[in-house]
Amino acid sequence: MAGTATKDRPAQAKAAPVDQDVLIVGAGISGIGMAVHLQLHSPDRSFALVERRANLGGTWDLFRYPGIRSDSDMHTLGFVFEPWKHEKSIADGPAILDYLNRIVDERHIRERIRFNRKVVGADWSSADARWTVTLEDESGATSTTTARWLYLGSGYYDYDEPYDANFTGREDFEGQIVHPQFWPENLDYAGKRVVVIGSGATAVTIVPSIAGKAAHVTMLQRTPTWYAIRPAKDALANFLRKILPEKLAYRITRFKNIRLQDIVFRRAREKPEKVADFLTRKLKAALGDRYDPVAFTPPYNPWEQRLCLVPDADFFEAMKADKASVVTDHIERFDKSGIQLKSGRHLDADIIITATGLKLAVAGKIPVRVDGDLIDWSEHFYYKACMFSNVPNFSAVFGYLNASWTLRADIVSEYVCRVLNHMRDTRTEVATPLLADPSSLTEENIFDFSSGYIQRALHIMPKSAVDLPWRLSQNYVQDRIDMKSGPVDDGVLRFGHASAATAAAPAELEAAE
């Protein structure tokens, strides 16, 4: 038993006590998922969640722009343990929040969430084998809490500051400028001329959602995007729900959608011209004589950036109704009445919406220290796509770029539970992915995507190697196999005890003798 010693085996003193075994940062999809997985797979571990906002939901609580919806189907954006029961598989923000709220209430997780608590520091002590996390409330008052394991479900982008494209002449514009990340609650766009800058998922969602009330909406893009048109309702899923038990219907639909996503992505990488032809044919069918090759022929292959989902072709329906249009050009400057383009054309506007993208952030911008040394994440390698080289008892979620975020969140949560259970069974307190010689690894481009928000953040991101387990893979099917069935004690993830316990062992041994 712990605390005893023999001549052959020195005693291990117990690590310092903690407030909870696992502290989860963030009460969005990643954090809520981890809480449920702990209940299911590691019920002996205590846990708590801290959330900087007043409500749960993360992204789905922060973003309030018109029409906000999932950019992938809810049978894969939903959790593995909780069926998606709505008729629409491409869901709007309120429906997703309902889903998350139902989970936390039915599983009694809400009482474990401390809202309005921002994490402003996390410090690991090897001597005590625990994290001390500093929290700040709305008034600026600070407090601390301790945990054996720190799990970051804080997302991947900066909640405080979106990407600023620094358009010249912003101050000259006499209308209203809005960024979707901070959408005004009562923005009046009825009868207004609106220009939406950007061509990603946010822009393509906003345009059809406001086109019915606005005088006209122009989407101004610098480069075209590849679009995937699909029904908002999954006919097979809804049919299966009528004839099969809910959970079985969900599992079948989820399996089908995961496989289809994987097939399409692989096809795009192997035969990009075939996928481009297919997407273009679908687009021409949706737009008819409104199809413009200049506006809809990207200068890159499909899935070199994330495909932009257009449910029920709503964006293109708005164009055919003359309520929306697309302009492909570069901005020279804003002026008092709109936007002057480099081509010489002028776009008159009453409201300009800058859907220009996100600014990525690592580890929720939290200063993380190990034994007093501040972690520079760009100097550490991913391990098993969720832990980091030489950082003990720490995990984070960075979802897939080519599939639903929740797919990664689910398998990461399950894997961390496996690690926690192994530590329980071996009576160890510390798990560290040990990398003695980083130069022995061959680095790869951590994200083989050309998206601007990815490229702008490469210098701050953790590293990825060519080979597992130091690689952040974009292959869910293989990842799930590796993380679910691969050995936890793989010779890389080292298990041990608090360093104070190790230092105490000789004295304890002497006393035992």
Side-chain angles (χ1 to χ4, degrees), residues 61 84 93 188 196 266 270 274 284 326 338 383 394 490 501:
D61 179 64
W84 177 253
D188 181 14
V196 180
R266 288 178 177 277
E270 294 166 1
K274 297 285 188 182
K284 288 179 176 179
V326 175
Y383 171 80
F394 182 95
D490 61 355

Side-chain angles (χ1 to χ4, degrees), residues 232-295:
K233 298 178 182 179
D234 189 318
L236 177 61
N238 292 331
F239 171 73
L240 292 176
R241 289 177 61 221
K242 293 177 181 178
I243 63 171
L244 296 174
E246 191 84 54
K247 289 186 177 180
L248 178 58
Y250 182 65
R251 285 201 300 268
I252 293 172
T253 306
R254 186 178 172 90
F255 176 83
K256 180 259 295 183
N257 289 355
I258 287 170
R259 290 295 177 179
L260 284 177
Q261 288 174 358
D262 187 55
I263 289 168
V264 171
F265 180 76
R266 288 178 177 277
R267 183 71 168 168
R269 289 303 171 97
E270 294 166 1
K271 301 285 185 180
E273 68 285 352
K274 297 285 188 182
V275 176
D277 288 344
F278 171 77
L279 295 175
T280 300
R281 287 197 305 272
K282 297 278 285 186
L283 190 56
K284 288 179 176 179
L287 278 169
D289 60 3
R290 301 299 179 93
Y291 174 76
D292 175 8
V294 173

Side-chain angles (χ1 to χ4, degrees), residues 336-399:
K336 67 178 183 178
S337 61
I339 301 175
Q340 182 63 49
L341 302 175
K342 289 187 177 180
S343 65
R345 183 177 178 181
H346 187 273
L347 297 179
D348 296 334
D350 302 301
I351 299 173
I352 297 174
I353 299 171
T354 55
T356 49
L358 304 168
K359 180 181 178 182
L360 296 199
V362 179
K365 302 191 297 183
I366 300 166
V368 178
R369 291 177 171 83
V370 172
D371 295 328
D373 294 329
L374 183 66
I375 294 293
D376 177 353
W377 295 108
S378 67
E379 295 300 317
H380 292 259
F381 280 84
Y382 272 100
Y383 171 80
K384 291 290 183 77
C386 67
M387 295 179 70
F388 303 92
S389 58
N390 303 323
V391 181
N393 291 26
F394 182 95
S395 52
V397 181
F398 194 109

